[in-house]
Amino acid sequence: MISSSHLQERHWRSEEVPTCDVENSVCSPELELIDNTQRRYNPVNLKCGVTVQLGENVLRDSPDIIDIMNHDLTSCLSVLPASVGWLVKRTHIWVNRTYAYGNIHAP
């Protein structure tokens, strides 16, 4: 497996970025990857100032998600130093019902 420090040392071209077969601990650019690039999201601005990107059917399956996330993020912002509040508020949070990544045959 490639360590994060190794990835930082080498500058990969996007078509060369290796994929890792976790089971066999082998990296290979030939593995077929799951394509998550076509997912659709709806941006929602929470009262606390954070934007969440809700994936398809998230709101339908979890109607309280907006209130819960607003409550939890408000709690986080209340205990974090004020100097980092803007970092939290500028960071979008992506929420999916399900998510798979990696090798298409062994996600």
Side-chain angles (χ1 to χ4, degrees), residues 12-13 21 27 29-30 32 34 52 66 77 80 85 88 103:
W12 299 96
R13 291 187 311 208
D21 179 347
C27 291
E30 291 83 34
E32 295 179 71
I34 294 170
V52 294
I66 293 173
L77 289 166
L80 289 170
V88 175
N103 184 337

Side-chain angles (χ1 to χ4, degrees), residues 2-69:
I2 293 179
S3 69
S4 60
S5 61
H6 179 73
L7 289 175
Q8 291 171 354
E9 292 172 12
R10 172 156 179 177
H11 299 284
W12 299 96
R13 291 187 311 208
S14 61
E15 66 272 6
E16 290 181 338
V17 175
T19 58
C20 294
D21 179 347
V22 177
E23 183 178 334
N24 298 316
S25 296
V26 174
C27 291
S28 168
E30 291 83 34
L31 293 177
E32 295 179 71
L33 295 179
I34 294 170
D35 181 11
N36 287 310
T37 61
Q38 301 305 313
R39 288 182 172 263
R40 294 188 182 129
Y41 294 89
N42 295 313
V44 176
N45 298 314
L46 302 178
K47 292 177 187 175
C48 66
V50 176
T51 299
V52 294
Q53 300 282 347
L54 298 180
E56 293 176 344
N57 300 321
V58 168
L59 199 54
R60 182 197 72 195
D61 295 345
S62 303
D64 296 332
I65 190 78
I66 293 173
D67 291 333
I68 292 168
M69 291 193 73

Side-chain angles (χ1 to χ4, degrees), residues 89-102:
K89 291 178 180 181
R90 78 168 192 176
T91 303
H92 290 212
I93 299 174
W94 302 81
V95 182
N96 295 289
R97 265 181 64 255
T98 62
Y99 192 79
Y101 63 94

Side-chain angles (χ1 to χ4, degrees), residues 69-84:
M69 291 193 73
N70 188 66
H71 177 269
D72 290 351
L73 288 163
T74 299
S75 297
C76 290
L77 289 166
S78 73
V79 297
L80 289 170
S83 61
V84 298

